[in-house]
Structures are given as structure tokens and as C-alpha cells.
Amino acid sequence: MAQITQAAIERVLRDVRDPDTGACALDLGTLDAATVRDGVVHVAIATDRDRAERIRPLIAGIEARLTHELDGAKGASVILTSHRAAATPPSPANAPGGGGHRPLNLGAKAGGAQPAGPLPPNVGLVIAVASGKGGVGKSTTAVNLAVGLGLEGLRVGLLDADVHGPSLPRMMGMTSQPEVREGRLQPLHGHGITAMSIGMLVEESKAMIWRGPMVMGAIGQLLADVDWGELDVLVVDMPPGTGDAQLTLAQKTALAGAVIVSTPQDIALLDARRGVAMFERMRVPVLGIVENMSYFCCPNCNHRTELFGHGGARAEAEKTGVPFLGEIPLLADIRASGDNGAPIVISAPDSAAGKAYRALAHTVGGALRRLLDKKRGG
């Protein structure tokens, strides 16, 4: 970190103390990560949920001291990777027979609803873009859907919740650092929307070797500690699978719906089915399923080839009783647009992929407008 050393950062963490108890941040947690990008010092402190509340009042003072006392520092940002204490294990009398994991209680009483936290301030709706497995183009779909919703006239934010593999900065062409104002991160703006990712706070090559509770804490902070401003919808690009991050999002905020991304082949559809089932158990409406990589169209002769089969996602949507949102072709231009930081819905709106994503955004946007009208009593 050039002139800014980890020892210097730890010294500041020890010097800023609670005036009532005398405790410093390192008494209540551990320095999990420290990086410097463009002169901005980014610090992650790992702690548990209870002690995180005792650290929060110290954050503004820590950020001020880091900025003013470290040579070359232009600013500072501190995040807490906090988590709840482990739940009390079930008693033998209540434990399920035959071993294995005890099922989670997801509020599945008849007629009941999954309790959820409040929406981020001034955000109308929050939706998730999810997949049961990796490699199906979920992040590409999330980026183009969010930008497409902006083109539909909605005020849109995009949150990259894939802490272990944050791709949003590259796909959106965002290379600058988020500012910190009055203790809140300011999202970056591009392609008509606002966006935030843990990838904007760490070096691109840095591996985020975080356990599940730390990931959950980071997602909670990206929801609560970012100044999203006035938004109609916040689109959350979820990590693949059905684990901690998905549960955290459902618990931290009131999800208005989820878009499931799959490819046509059977193995991907099995995982998509699990994704639908997970959101249904969490009482989150499934807005529909998208079939990505639906077909390949040769750029030279326009011959259409269905490399992974075709129509599987539509059939799965019919089987599970959720809407089918459309087909996205497999094209090299989609990959290139993501690598170049220019979503294809903007860079090539008249291409087959650009039109497919615009159609997806139009369909989802219509559903979101109805939800917003209902919420506002319109």
C-alpha cells in the first residue's frame, strides 16, 4: 500500500476510542482487509452483530483520522463485516431423525409471510436477479436489465451482491472510487443508472476470502450504508446458488420480486427450479424466468443453432406456474460488451441481443410500474 501501511491503519483503529468505555475498534473486532485505491483507504473490520453496534459510532472518527493522519490519503471508508451470533442448536427432542441438517424456518406457516426488513431510504422496490448455478449469464442479464429499465423511464440502482466475484465495475465500465459523505458511500453513475459493488472498494485482483457471515454483513451494509437517493427500483445481482446471501437479502429488505436466469439444458433448469422454490419459501414473488443463451445465430450466414437445446426455460416456467420473460441469444457481442464496460442494450440497441434485453426490460418494467402504482395507491 505504498506509504500507507497496515501498521499505520491499525494505529488509528486503536487511537479512536469510545469515550464511555474506552474500547477501540480492535477491541471489538479484527482488521479483515485494508486496501488503498486512488488515495482512498478502504478498511473492513470483522466483528459480530452485537459488537458491530458499538463500533458504528466510532466509524466517522476513524475515517476522519485515516484521511488526515496517513500520508497520501485523500479519503477513507470503513465497512463492518458483521453477523449475528450463532443460533442455539436444537434440543435432541426437536432434532430431525436420521441426521443431516435441520431445515430452516422460513416463516412458512399457512397464510403467513416471511418477515423482512425495511426498504433502503427513498427506494420504491427492490428486486433480485438470481440463478441456481453459476455460468448462466446472470450478471450480464442483471446489468442489461437494470440499464434497460432506466431506458424505460424508471429511476434505477444496481447493487452487485456477488461479494466473491464482483463483476459490475468491469461490466459497467466504472473505474473511479465511490465518495464518502457524512459516513455514507455515494454510488457511481453510468449508463443512466446508479451502481455499487464491493469491487469498487478493493483491488480488482484481490480475492475476497470471506466466510458466509462476513458476506452477509457486507450485503447488509451495501443496502443500508449507501446513499442510493430517489429510486423507483433497486436491482440486486445475486451470487449464484441458494445460500446465505439470498437469505440475508430476504431478511434485510422487503423484496418485491425475483427474476430467475437459466440456460435451456436440463442441468441448469434443475438449479433454476431450486431458485424458484427458494424464493417461494421466502414468500418472494417470482417475476419470471429468462432463458439465456437460448440459441446461437451465426453472424456470417444468420443460421440459427440451438447449442444447449431450446425452450427448456419456457417449459419450466409453465411447469412451475411463473411467467416466462423471454429468450436471450448467445452472441459474441454480448461478451465483448461486458468486457468493454458498455452494456449491449446501450452499445448495440438494434442488435438481436439489444432488442431481446429491451423486450425483457419492457416486460419487467410493466410489472414494476403496476407494483409501484399499487404501493402508491394509484
Side-chain angles (χ1 to χ4, degrees):
M1 291 186 290
Q3 296 178 344
I4 301 176
T5 65
Q6 181 167 320
I9 293 172
E10 290 178 343
R11 185 183 66 249
V12 173
L13 295 179
R14 291 190 182 94
D15 287 347
V16 179
R17 293 181 175 272
D18 185 320
D20 296 325
T21 65
C24 70
L26 293 185
D27 293 328
L28 303 170
T30 59
L31 179 58
D32 179 60
T35 61
V36 179
R37 289 183 62 190
D38 299 328
V40 179
V41 183
H42 298 281
V43 174
I45 301 172
T47 184
D48 59 41
R49 187 179 182 86
D50 293 335
R51 289 190 288 184
E53 297 305 317
R54 296 165 60 189
I55 296 178
R56 287 187 194 281
L58 306 180
I59 288 179
I62 292 171
E63 291 175 339
R65 293 277 293 270
L66 289 170
T67 302
H68 294 114
E69 295 184 12
L70 301 184
D71 290 340
K74 300 177 182 177
S77 171
V78 176
I79 64 171
L80 305 179
T81 55
S82 58
H83 58 90
R84 293 191 178 114
T88 303
S91 64
N94 295 328
H101 295 288
R102 185 181 185 183
L104 291 170
N105 181 357
L106 295 177
K109 292 182 179 180
Q114 167 68 12
L119 291 169
N122 304 315
V123 174
L125 302 171
V126 179
I127 66 170
V129 178
S131 64
K133 67 188 298 291
V136 298
K138 169 189 56 59
S139 292
T140 302
T141 300
V143 167
N144 281 282
L145 172 60
V147 175
L149 289 172
L151 294 173
E152 291 289 312
L154 294 169
R155 296 169 297 179
V156 182
L158 176 60
L159 170 59
D160 183 358
D162 192 350
V163 173
H164 290 120
S167 56
L168 185 152
R170 172 65 65 90
M171 299 180 77
M172 289 289 289
M174 294 178 168
T175 58
S176 58
Q177 285 286 302
E179 295 182 10
V180 180
R181 299 176 191 163
E182 299 180 353
R184 304 196 73 195
L185 285 166
Q186 305 299 307
L188 301 186
H189 300 269
H191 306 300
I193 68 171
T194 57
M196 176 57 66
S197 168
I198 197 76
M200 299 172 182
L201 306 176
V202 299
E203 297 174 7
E204 188 176 49
S205 60
K206 179 178 174 60
M208 304 302 292
I209 309 173
W210 286 0
R211 296 181 186 275
M214 297 166 69
V215 172
M216 294 160 67
I219 292 173
Q221 284 198 279
L222 288 173
L223 281 168
D225 295 345
V226 172
D227 187 5
W228 288 106
E230 296 279 348
L231 296 181
D232 293 314
V233 58
L234 177 62
V235 178
V236 183
D237 178 17
M238 299 299 300
T242 55
D244 290 339
Q246 288 78 4
L247 292 173
T248 297
L249 184 65
Q251 292 165 352
K252 293 286 185 182
T253 191
L255 280 175
V259 173
I260 306 296
V261 182
S262 181
T263 48
Q265 67 265 46
D266 290 344
I267 192 66
L269 292 169
L270 287 173
D271 292 309
R273 190 176 307 157
R274 296 186 185 100
V276 171
M278 176 192 68
F279 283 111
E280 287 178 343
R281 288 191 65 193
M282 295 191 298
R283 298 295 190 265
V284 174
V286 176
L287 299 176
I289 298 178
V290 180
E291 182 169 283
N292 197 29
M293 308 182 196
S294 183
Y295 57 89
F296 171 72
C297 187
C298 177
N300 297 317
C301 66
N302 292 323
H303 177 71
R304 174 167 164 162
T305 303
E306 296 165 355
L307 296 173
F308 303 117
H310 180 259
R314 183 189 295 274
E316 188 63 31
E318 294 174 354
K319 185 184 301 183
T320 54
V322 301
F324 179 66
L325 298 176
E327 303 172 349
I328 309 296
L330 174 63
L331 296 173
D333 288 346
I334 299 178
R335 188 272 308 160
S337 68
D339 289 346
N340 295 331
I344 199 164
V345 74
I346 289 281
S347 61
D350 294 327
S351 65
K355 291 178 179 178
Y357 281 124
R358 279 304 303 269
L360 171 64
H362 182 73
T363 300
V364 174
L368 296 179
R369 289 187 188 279
R370 290 190 290 273
L371 290 172
L372 286 167
D373 288 344
K374 183 177 180 181
K375 181 178 178 180
R376 295 163 180 165

